[in-house]
Amino acid sequence: MHSLEKAVLSLQRELNISAKKKQSISAHFQREMIKGLTGRNSSLKMLPSYLTNPSGQETGTFLSLDLGGSNVRLYLLDLLGHGSFNIRETLAFPLKSACKNGVSYDYTAASVTGEELFDFIVSKLKNLISKEIPYSLGLTFSYPCKQIAIDQAVLLKWTKEIKTAEAVGKNIGEMLTAALRKQQVNNVTLKAIINDTVAAQVAGAYSQQHCRIASIIGTGHNSCYLENRRKYLAKAGIINIEAGNFNKLPFSLYDKKLDKLSVEPGTQLLEKMVSGKYLGELVRLILLRFSEEGLLFRKKISRLSITGVFSTPDMSTVLGDNTKELGNVSKLLFEKLGITNSTYEERLGVYMICQIVQKRSACLAATSYLSILEQIDGLSTPHVIAVDGSLYNKMPEYAEYLDEALVEGTRGKKGTVTVKPVKDGSALGAALAAAMQ
Ligand code: BGC
């Protein structure tokens, strides 16, 4: 067998999540959930959201603000009841912009403060609203927060490599309201702050009443569920698991290296194996090793040493290449890495590496969902999981692999699991949360 083929097979074995590994992950995940729910030290924070499922009757016009990735999105949205809604207007802008007409900024950097970040967002929000009309605002804020009330949330830590200063430990509700008032925006009232998983949950439940669990597979990864067991929560409510921080996992050499290079090593370990912020980087580390060992491209490709040179969208380009000779992969290898003479076998090798990393991500996400459902009711009833996020929505075949892993995991169980993709979940969820107050 060709040495590249052998190396790819060995990588496949190394990154494969066997049935035994799944069992062990699931047992640990469930244990950590209980520890988190009962206030013990746990990798899963199990954060109450002060929100439950909507009734489906919510109507009215709301402002939604979605802050959780590299772009901020503002929406003016009409809730029409029973799962229907209409987005009237949207405004999106990046938190980071490379030198354009001499102006460059980065509100995710350590040199910028939380106050400056919210001032910037409000300066943009002013362009979407009229001065005369009163607005109720829902904020989807996709970072771990300790909720004090539905409109008050203290940021516990940044994730997804954000470094903005003077924000951790602060009340996000107070910061946003202060920024609004500072710029004389007195007609906007913040009604609710929710995590994006909670937004997906309420968005899913708006049309599908028995939706009880939701997840994001995007730049970051996390899940939430509706807890109605009295022993854990006095009043039924949605719990933000902060699943991305789960850490009892089988780490490969590449995972360890990626973690070491990240802003906060030792944290968000499941997220680093599942989400879009990291998958491209994992592939880069694998390609680097393969090229260093002469298995790919016949020499060390120096550009592969640059962090971020191969991104998750690049992985999608590779995985979506249906051309006979993998021509799109060839083009990508040239544009990103300066490789001009890749062979078909090498391009196929790159494709297989991307697929192995992708499949592991879907398999780990599915294993965490099954653990949550096992925890809730021993997987004895049918369940609908609301899923949103760029990786799930955009990466070729990701949704299929997730379904496959869920079907495999429910074999022999009474309950079934169906995934319900939710579109515009963060926008709809924030509006619903505001409407429910
Ligand atoms: C955050 C979660 C969020 C997830 C998806 C993670 O990095 O910690 O709060 O739900 O990303 O956006």
Side-chain angles (χ1 to χ4, degrees):
M1 197 191 287
H2 195 280
S3 55
L4 172 59
E5 214 179 320
K6 261 198 205 151
V8 170
L9 280 176
S10 144
L11 179 78
Q12 197 162 32
R13 271 194 302 275
E14 195 184 348
L15 268 58
N16 178 41
I17 309 292
S18 64
K20 205 168 148 212
K21 282 186 198 160
K22 280 183 206 158
Q23 251 178 17
S24 152
I25 293 170
S26 179
H28 278 302
F29 197 96
Q30 292 181 59
R31 235 173 279 144
E32 292 288 287
M33 278 179 76
I34 301 293
K35 283 210 264 169
L37 281 170
T38 50
R40 283 175 283 163
N41 194 21
S42 168
S43 63
L44 299 177
K45 291 212 167 61
M46 310 300 285
L47 302 163
S49 68
Y50 287 74
L51 202 68
T52 186
N53 274 355
S55 66
Q57 310 294 320
E58 295 76 8
T59 53
T61 302
F62 297 88
L63 258 184
S64 294
L65 171 56
D66 177 15
L67 175 52
S70 39
N71 285 307
V72 177
R73 290 192 175 81
L74 277 157
Y75 302 81
L76 192 59
L77 188 150
D78 301 316
L79 295 177
L80 305 169
H82 307 288
S84 301
F85 65 103
N86 167 46
I87 295 179
R88 262 201 233 177
E89 275 177 70
T90 58
L91 184 71
F93 49 92
L95 283 177
K96 202 190 304 203
S97 168
C99 203
K100 229 190 251 164
N101 325 320
V103 188
S104 68
Y105 62 85
D106 183 0
Y107 285 93
T108 66
S111 55
V112 174
T113 65
E115 187 181 344
E116 288 167 328
L117 165 68
F118 283 105
D119 285 346
F120 171 67
I121 292 171
V122 169
S123 72
K124 298 282 184 186
L125 177 141
K126 282 160 89 177
N127 299 323
L128 190 79
I129 59 170
S130 110
K131 278 192 182 137
E132 292 76 37
I133 307 169
Y135 297 94
S136 290
L137 169 69
L139 165 63
T140 297
F141 186 71
S142 312
Y143 301 95
C145 284
K146 184 173 163 46
Q147 205 97 23
I148 309 167
I150 186 66
D151 59 347
Q152 306 283 314
V154 174
L155 177 61
L156 296 173
K157 65 172 185 182
W158 285 121
T159 55
K160 297 175 268 203
E161 312 292 298
I162 306 275
K163 302 193 222 47
T164 313
E166 293 173 43
V168 173
K170 298 219 167 156
N171 187 325
I172 298 303
E174 281 174 4
M175 284 178 102
L176 175 56
T177 302
L180 286 165
R181 302 301 172 252
K182 205 199 283 180
Q183 295 184 51
Q184 277 81 49
V185 183
N186 296 317
N187 53 334
V188 173
T189 311
L190 176 64
K191 293 283 187 179
I193 304 177
I194 56 173
N195 185 260
D196 52 355
T197 54
V198 178
Q201 167 72 35
V202 290
Y206 193 38
S207 60
Q208 201 120 26
Q209 289 296 298
H210 51 278
C211 172
R212 213 176 144 185
I213 140 166
S215 181
I216 301 293
I217 307 178
T219 309
H221 169 61
N222 185 15
S223 302
C224 74
Y225 74 105
L226 185 64
E227 178 59 84
N228 55 17
R229 294 170 295 181
R230 282 267 172 80
K231 61 177 171 177
Y232 295 128
L233 214 55
K235 209 171 134 229
I238 302 164
I239 301 260
N240 166 15
I241 299 175
E242 282 301 327
N245 195 46
F246 180 67
N247 57 13
K248 311 279 184 295
L249 292 156
F251 303 113
S252 71
L253 195 109
Y254 307 105
D255 298 304
K256 289 180 190 156
K257 192 147 185 209
L258 178 133
D259 181 46
K260 223 169 152 187
L261 292 171
S262 69
V263 168
E264 236 186 293
T267 68
Q268 300 297 110
L269 296 180
L270 177 62
E271 180 165 80
K272 285 170 183 161
M273 293 163 98
V274 171
S275 82
K277 183 76 197 170
Y278 303 99
L279 291 195
E281 186 59 8
L282 264 180
V283 170
R284 176 188 75 84
L285 292 171
I286 299 170
L287 294 180
L288 175 65
R289 174 98 189 267
F290 272 48
S291 95
E292 278 171 350
E293 292 188 353
L295 294 160
L296 268 178
F297 316 128
R298 286 140 286 153
K299 62 173 183 200
K300 184 178 166 190
I301 305 293
S302 56
R303 274 207 227 169
L304 276 171
S305 309
I306 306 168
T307 303
V309 75
F310 190 90
S311 66
T312 303
D314 292 337
M315 248 177 108
S316 288
T317 304
V318 170
L319 292 166
D321 190 353
N322 296 321
T323 62
K324 208 164 145 233
E325 294 294 316
L326 290 173
N328 298 343
V329 179
S330 168
K331 195 161 161 256
L332 183 88
L333 290 175
F334 170 63
E335 284 171 2
K336 291 286 162 114
L337 306 172
I339 297 165
T340 50
N341 57 350
S342 65
T343 64
Y344 175 72
E345 280 69 30
E346 286 172 329
R347 296 196 288 276
L348 192 61
V350 173
Y351 180 93
M352 300 278 293
I353 290 169
C354 291
Q355 198 179 50
I356 291 168
V357 171
Q358 174 194 34
K359 273 192 175 176
R360 187 182 67 156
S361 159
C363 179
L364 286 172
T367 306
S368 74
Y369 300 166
L370 294 165
S371 314
I372 299 163
L373 295 174
E374 195 66 56
Q375 221 334 276
I376 299 179
D377 69 356
L379 244 167
S380 58
T381 58
H383 285 280
V384 177
I385 309 179
V387 180
D388 197 2
S390 50
L391 192 70
Y392 175 79
N393 290 328
K394 291 190 192 150
M395 185 175 270
E397 283 181 300
Y398 192 97
E400 285 79 358
Y401 289 132
L402 186 71
D403 277 342
E404 221 170 75
L406 287 169
V407 167
E408 206 184 296
T410 41
R411 210 163 281 146
K413 293 277 172 188
K414 252 174 96 189
T416 51
V417 180
T418 321
V419 172
K420 176 187 159 69
V422 281
K423 221 181 142 265
D424 300 312
S426 287
L428 174 58
L432 281 165
M436 284 159 81
Q437 305 318 308

